[in-house]
Amino acid sequence: MLKYARLALRPAPLFMASLALTGLASVGTVVLPATERGDLAATIVGATLGAAIGGFSIDTFLLSRPAGWVLDRGRRWIILLLIGCVVASAGVAAALIAVEGIGDYRNAMAGAAALTVFNAGSSLVLRLKRFVFVYGTRAVAGAALIAGYAVLYLRGDRSGEHWSAVWLGSQLLAALGLAIAVLRQARGFGLDPSGSGPVPPRLLPGDRTRDVATIGKLHLGICAQMLTFRLDQIILARFAGSGALGVYALAVAAMEFAQAGAVITAQRILADRGAGEDRTPSAGPIVKAALPVGVLCTVALAGLGWLAPGYREAWLLGLILLPGTIATTLGKAWSAALLKQRGEQATTVVALIALAAAVPTYLVLIPLIGAVGAAAASSVVYGIHAAGSLVSLRRRKSLVPATSETGPSVRPPPPRSSTASTRSARS
């Protein structure tokens, strides 16, 4: 029994459990009318995209810093960065709700702030290789979300606004858990190994300016990537309304199950500072892990459509999204490797190319054929992003000469050039 418990508490099973709980909660929202589920989805999308854009990729920035960076900068600088990102996240979430025309402002703004705190805290904890704690916190939040939804269901409450408030509560719980862990760890910041006394941050002139510049360069690509992956739902809400968004968001959430392994792979690539950093992740194992899950999710959507006729088109949307889902799983791993090997400029170029293709594709197909157009456009755009990441990785290998024992070694870029997913990605 103890053996199985230890296996269950490993990072991969815990992450799958957290994703399964979140997915189960999302699937459980089919008890809502499609319009109410659309309001819920609009709030969640506004919050997650608000955190992704307004959060300035603080999670990826923190995770990508070299060893010793946190102690060098000190607590005050990190807290100042986080406060700025939290405020910006809430503001962007409000703007997105205004664009969508549906959703709850307060829940979206507070949710964006909570997600930003959770993402930043996760990065600081993952730097210590505490994957189990981070994924365990996500799993607890997922269980709390299911419990909250169950209470509303038993009470006969079918209001999308109220369900989004429960979702907000689960995000606050997760953010609180990570914040407490970081604050406990922060008690040791500034102490030498013997604990004899505080050591001031080892800041050099211009370090903070370089940090801000790095965040800007890093965020440009990640922001473009998140817009590529979530702009479809914003535009669909605007042009097709809450009913179409409710069905489409269910299909998107179901297909995200297939991306779980790629998320773990990407986080390990970014957190690993050892040897083998110049390798390109192999496509075979990633596809073999993702494809069966994607097919099962499509079948499950068909079953849900039979049980809840209001969602009978969800399986078709899932089937159209399946190629894009496989492309996304590959793109996550390749993009993480590209970021680590060539820095944020390379990933930014790929993300901007994908976004340049996404915007006109979404704006043409979604107003014409609604959710089906959103699914088709997404699969095409996700494929472009994955292909661009792979081509850029291979181009890098063709430009770098083979190294000898005395030749230069390929290392992670210095602070001015490095790394969720993200975040987690993330809904």
Side-chain angles (χ1 to χ4, degrees), residues 7-359:
L7 289 175
L9 291 178
R10 296 177 63 183
L14 268 179
F15 181 82
M16 291 298 295
S18 68
L19 188 64
L21 289 169
T22 303
L24 181 60
S26 181
V27 170
T29 59
V30 297
V31 299
L32 295 175
T35 53
E36 293 297 332
R37 193 186 188 284
D39 287 337
L40 170 63
T43 301
I44 295 176
V45 170
T48 53
L49 195 52
I53 298 175
F56 288 96
S57 307
I58 187 66
D59 52 337
T60 306
F61 172 77
L62 292 174
L63 187 59
S64 69
R65 297 305 88 197
W69 181 89
V70 173
L71 292 177
D72 286 345
R73 294 301 188 270
R75 287 173 290 192
R76 290 184 180 179
W77 177 235
I78 296 175
I79 291 173
L80 182 61
L81 288 175
L82 181 58
I83 291 175
C85 292
V86 167
V87 173
S89 296
V92 173
L96 290 171
I97 293 297
V99 172
E100 289 179 303
I102 55 177
D104 185 87
Y105 279 94
R106 291 172 298 180
N107 292 339
M109 293 172 67
L115 285 169
T116 301
V117 172
F118 174 82
N119 291 338
S122 296
S123 296
L124 291 172
V125 175
L126 287 173
R127 288 179 64 90
L128 303 176
K129 303 296 182 69
R130 295 179 62 185
F131 293 94
V132 169
F133 182 84
V134 173
Y135 300 152
T137 302
R138 287 191 58 174
V140 170
L145 180 60
I146 293 175
Y149 282 170
V151 170
L152 290 180
Y153 175 76
L154 293 175
R155 290 175 55 186
D157 191 333
R158 302 295 187 270
S159 168
E161 179 182 350
H162 295 165
W163 285 56
S164 68
V166 170
W167 173 84
L168 170 61
S170 71
Q171 305 311 307
L172 291 173
L173 177 63
L176 180 63
L178 267 296
I180 291 174
V182 170
L183 290 174
R184 290 185 62 184
Q185 185 69 27
R187 290 185 303 175
F189 285 10
L191 298 180
D192 66 16
S194 64
S196 60
V199 178
R202 296 179 289 274
L203 282 170
L204 298 176
D207 276 349
R208 290 178 176 176
T209 301
R210 283 190 288 271
D211 285 345
V212 173
T214 300
I215 289 174
K217 291 189 294 183
L218 178 64
H219 182 57
L220 179 61
I222 294 179
C223 179
Q225 183 174 339
M226 287 304 300
L227 282 172
T228 300
F229 291 164
R230 287 291 180 262
L231 189 60
D232 54 341
Q233 297 188 46
I234 300 293
I235 296 176
L236 183 63
R238 186 69 180 182
F239 285 97
S242 58
L245 177 62
V247 178
Y248 179 71
L250 175 65
V252 171
M255 300 309 292
E256 285 180 350
F257 274 102
Q259 303 174 25
V263 173
I264 296 176
T265 300
Q267 289 180 340
R268 288 190 179 279
I269 289 172
L270 296 177
D272 185 15
R273 293 172 175 81
E277 295 166 342
D278 60 340
R279 293 179 296 187
T280 299
S282 176
I286 297 175
V287 173
K288 288 179 181 179
L291 184 57
V293 179
V295 172
L296 287 175
C297 289
T298 304
V299 174
L301 287 172
L304 285 174
W306 180 72
L307 294 173
Y311 297 92
R312 59 180 175 271
E313 294 183 358
W315 75 271
L316 176 61
L317 299 177
L319 184 63
I320 299 173
L321 283 167
L322 182 57
T325 299
I326 302 303
T328 301
T329 60
L330 293 169
K332 286 181 184 296
W334 290 338
S335 183
L338 179 63
L339 183 58
K340 192 162 189 178
Q341 295 178 27
R342 293 187 58 193
E344 62 274 355
Q345 184 175 357
T347 55
T348 296
V349 170
V350 174
L352 289 175
I353 291 173
L355 181 60
V359 173

Side-chain angles (χ1 to χ4, degrees), residues 394-411:
R394 289 180 173 176
R395 178 174 176 270
R396 181 255 183 197
K397 290 184 178 298
S398 67
L399 293 176
V400 178
T403 59
S404 64
E405 293 183 1
T406 59
S409 61
V410 179
R411 299 184 300 172

